[in-house]
Amino acid sequence: MGLFKFSRSRSLWMMHFCTGCGAIEMPPTMTSRYDMERFGIIPMATPRQSDLLLVTGYLTVKTLKRVVRSYEQMAEPKYVIAFGSCTMRGGMYWDSYNTVKELDLYIPVDIYINGCMPRPEAIIDAFIKLRDMIDKGEANAWKNYRDNLDWYKQNQAKVFDINKWSAKI
Amino acid sequence: MAIIIKILEYILIAFGVAILGLIYGGIGRKITARIQNRYGPPFYQNILDVLKLFGKRNEASHGVMFDLGPVIALTGILTSLMFLPLGSSTPLISFEGDIFVLFYLLVVSPLGMALGAGEGANPNATIGIARGLTMMLGYELVLFVSIIPLMIHYDTASFYKLVQMQGTFPNWNFFPFFLSAFAGLIALQGMMGLQPFDVVVAPHEIASGPMVEYSGRFLGLLQLWHAIAVIVETGIIADAFLGNGGAGWFILKTFSLFMIVIMVAAIFPRFRIGQAVKFYWKYPLIIGLLGFLVLFIWR
Ligand code: SF4
């Protein structure tokens, strides 16, 4: 069992859901300058194969639907890292009519990275922190999602159900 | 009693080969990383990946065939391992004509994969399968053409005999049949599905093709298949052209071949599927056919 846990934290396949400005910070993190493959983290093509979902910036209501769907396709155990102030409190889009302000209401987030935009060092730091959390058994947001599915679904329904409202504008 | 020992021995060999293949893969990733001026993952990274995949839960399934696909793929490659002489050791099964059986069995794995992925009904998987089967037309032909001169020269179709007859270092088939060996090496590149022939799984284009719907344990089985396939495929070329020798020599030879393939892969972009098949049917095929001339000159 210990070996499985060890391998789980040392081999994270990630899917970067490249919304917002954060996508541009991923290439340096992956390539020669910062090289995240040394921690066993490699980009994967589909949510089914990946363990780690990166939400790299603000989400509109439309993209949130896709994020939730991708998140639900991932096999457990799964982890989420959210980038930038936009995912925490809306950031500079705090008063926008169609961005999602708090990602935590819709999918469970393990780690937030502060900043607008976080530098690759900060991203690597978050990866290491996630690795330690998995080792200690603290990265349990996916269990949270399963246990409180009703609450999450309610919150999701609240924002997804704006079709009638948006048709009026 | 003897049969039980043989079976146990085979299970041990299969485990060893799987772990060896995973380590090759890890070292390959490391070398690719060094070529790209990165640090790269530890050499045991692929073993961790497989362990992690087997520890996952809640995999998506799309039906019985979908689940059986990876199993068929793994079975196919394990069966072909039975026919492959690992160095000078006798393979589990060997008879006159087993080269043809071995080559047929190599096709079983991609077919199993195709059957399984087909039930996933993902358009990306369908494209990947179509490309994989088309690509097979390319490299299989070249592989056959590169091996046939050896079978004519030694007048046998048993892989074990062929390996035994060629002897050790100065008598390697590689020296007289270097044209065929070169064609075989190009076929190996496509067989392993590495650049420039990785259009089958092109991750950025068709989201890893046939593997697109697989997750968790199924993906773990597929990783094991890839790991064993690395040894079997490099092993065929090593056995056919690089002489026989002990298990240590076999590992050294397959590893060197794998290094060549990885280094070529690290610096090439990928062909389109049409270009790849056209390429195979032009240059390596011509080189392979020229290899037949050696039979007339050298004998
Ligand atoms: S936090 Fe800043 S950098 Fe990140 S998505 Fe929002 S505005 Fe862009």
Side-chain angles (χ1 to χ4, degrees), chain A residues 33-150:
Chain A
R33 184 76 174 88
Y34 293 98
D35 181 29
M36 65 188 191
E37 200 185 354
R38 62 200 154 119
F39 305 114
I41 303 169
I42 45 169
M44 268 298 163
T46 74
R48 294 229 190 266
Q49 300 164 355
S50 32
D51 319 296
L52 173 60
L53 177 68
L54 303 186
V55 182
T56 60
Y58 61 83
L59 295 171
T60 60
V61 172
K62 215 171 165 184
T63 39
L64 180 66
K65 265 184 207 172
R66 276 75 181 168
V67 169
V68 169
R69 202 165 161 197
S70 310
Y71 180 72
E72 286 177 350
Q73 281 184 0
M74 289 161 67
E76 289 169 356
K78 47 191 173 184
Y79 314 100
V80 180
I81 294 184
F83 284 38
S85 5
C86 279
T87 49
M88 290 179 217
R89 261 327 199 172
M92 64 189 260
Y93 301 97
W94 60 277
D95 60 348
S96 161
Y97 65 96
N98 73 340
T99 53
V100 169
K101 308 295 183 305
E102 276 174 76
L103 182 61
D104 222 351
L105 294 176
Y106 312 103
I107 57 172
V109 179
D110 284 290
I111 290 186
Y112 282 111
I113 312 177
N114 201 356
C116 175
M117 185 67 226
R119 299 254 318 138
E121 288 97 330
I123 300 172
I124 295 278
D125 196 38
F127 286 152
I128 304 275
K129 195 157 257 167
L130 181 68
R131 191 173 84 178
D132 293 344
M133 276 169 72
I134 298 171
D135 277 342
K136 285 188 214 137
E138 288 169 3
N140 288 329
W142 56 278
K143 280 186 194 152
N144 203 356
Y145 188 72
R146 200 204 261 166
D147 294 342
N148 303 317
L149 193 61
D150 288 343

Side-chain angles (χ1 to χ4, degrees), chain B residues 105-161:
Chain B
L105 283 171
L106 280 181
V107 185
V108 169
S109 303
L111 279 184
M113 175 93 187
L115 283 175
E119 196 172 19
N122 188 313
N124 285 328
T126 317
I127 297 172
I129 294 164
R131 286 178 178 182
L133 299 183
T134 318
M135 184 72 91
M136 229 147 61
L137 288 179
Y139 66 74
E140 287 277 308
L141 187 63
V142 176
L143 190 67
F144 267 118
V145 165
S146 68
I147 301 281
I148 287 173
L150 304 182
M151 301 197 320
I152 298 174
H153 176 69
Y154 291 108
D155 196 21
T156 176
S158 151
F159 210 175
Y160 177 60
K161 269 192 206 156

